[in-house]
Amino acid sequence: MMGTLATVLAGKKVPTFGDRFRADVEGDIEDVDGVLRITRIRVRYTLKAPPGKTADAREAMGRISYVARPR
């Protein structure tokens, strides 16, 4: 999940190394017809953009789309 966003940020010359970029992730595992499945994943990204790169970082974040599947 982080790799795709990091690639887009790199294209905008926004650094993501060290403690500048992280993701907090949690998910739900449920029994679906007798099979354990990951049914939801929630991700919260934290990015420390350097001065002058805030607009580029916001644009990059807006380019990433996420799909929610109906239950």
Side-chain angles (χ1 to χ4, degrees):
M1 291 179 202
M2 291 180 69
T4 302
L5 182 53
T7 299
V8 174
L9 289 165
K12 295 283 187 186
K13 307 285 190 239
V14 177
T16 59
F17 57 86
D19 68 342
R20 291 190 164 277
F21 180 50
R22 75 173 221 215
D24 296 309
V25 182
E26 64 179 43
D28 298 330
I29 299 173
E30 298 179 29
D31 182 327
V32 179
D33 299 325
V35 177
L36 291 178
R37 293 189 178 207
I38 299 170
T39 56
R40 282 180 215 87
I41 299 173
R42 291 172 293 284
V43 181
R44 180 178 179 185
Y45 292 107
T46 303
L47 174 67
K48 296 177 186 176
K53 288 295 185 177
T54 301
D56 289 335
R58 288 186 192 275
E59 182 182 339
M61 296 289 273
R63 288 181 177 221
I64 304 298
S65 62
Y66 299 93
V67 176
R69 292 185 185 172
R71 295 186 77 196

